C-alpha cells in the first residue's frame, strides 16, 4: 500500500484521514467558510449538502430553490442553495462552490439511534469528482487532488 501512497503524493494528491462511524459510514472533518464541522462522505449523494440548522453555523447565504431532494429514506424534500462558498478538508481547498441546503433531521436521527454522532452535512459526488477523489477503504483514507 505504501506504493499507492507514494504514487498519489507524487501526483499531487492530499491524504486525508476518514473516521469509520458506529453506523459504518465514512466521516471527515471539514471547514466551510472557515468554520469546522463533521460530514459524511457519500459517493451516492449527487450534491454536497448542509442541514438547514447549520446555515448560521457556516455563515451561509441561502436562496430558495425549486429542486427537491431525496435520499436516506426521505423524498420530495424542500431545498435551498448557497453559492460562492469555500470548502476546506485538511489542507485541500476549493472556492466558489454551491451547497444544497435541506433538512438533515432524518439522517441525524438515524445516526443517533445507532450510537453515531450527528453530522452537519454530506460531502457528495460533486466535490469528490472535482477533486478526483480516491477512497482507500482499507486504511480509511481519502485522497483529493
Amino acid at each position: 500500500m505504501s506504493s499507492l501512497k507514494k504514487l498519489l503524493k507524487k501526483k499531487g494528491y492530499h491524504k486525508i484521514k476518514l473516521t469509520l462511524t458506529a453506523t459504518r459510514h465514512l466521516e471527515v472533518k471539514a471547514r466551510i467558510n472557515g468554520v469546522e464541522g463533521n460530514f459524511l462522505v457519500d459517493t451516492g449523494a449527487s450534491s454536497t449538502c448542509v442541514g438547514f440548522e447549520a446555515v448560521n453555523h457556516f455563515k451561509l447565504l441561502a436562496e430558495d430553490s425549486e429542486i427537491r431532494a431525496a435520499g436516506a429514506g426521505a423524498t420530495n424534500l424542500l431545498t435551498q442553495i448557497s453559492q460562492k462558498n469555500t470548502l476546506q478538508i485538511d489542507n485541500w481547498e476549493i472556492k466558489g462552490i454551491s451547497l444544497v441546503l435541506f433538512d438533515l433531521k432524518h439522517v441525524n436521527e438515524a445516526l443517533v439511534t445507532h450510537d453515531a454522532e450527528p453530522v452537519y452535512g454530506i460531502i457528495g459526488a460533486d466535490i469528490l469528482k472535482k477533486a478526483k477523489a480516491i477512497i482507500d477503504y482499507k486504511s480509511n483514507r481519502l485522497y483529493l487532488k
Side-chain angles (χ1 to χ4, degrees), residues 40-61:
L40 294 179
V41 175
D42 186 350
T43 61
S46 57
S47 300
T48 296
C49 310
V50 172
F52 284 140
E53 61 282 353
V55 168
N56 291 333
H57 179 75
F58 292 114
K59 306 171 193 166
L60 302 175
L61 297 175

Side-chain angles (χ1 to χ4, degrees), residues 32 69 72 100:
I32 294 177
V100 174

Side-chain angles (χ1 to χ4, degrees), residues 79-98:
T79 66
Q80 291 184 316
I81 189 125
S82 178
Q83 299 180 47
K84 299 180 182 175
N85 297 288
T86 299
L87 172 67
Q88 183 178 7
I89 304 173
D90 198 47
N91 57 357
W92 181 88
E93 181 177 272
I94 187 169
K95 294 181 180 182
I97 64 159
S98 294

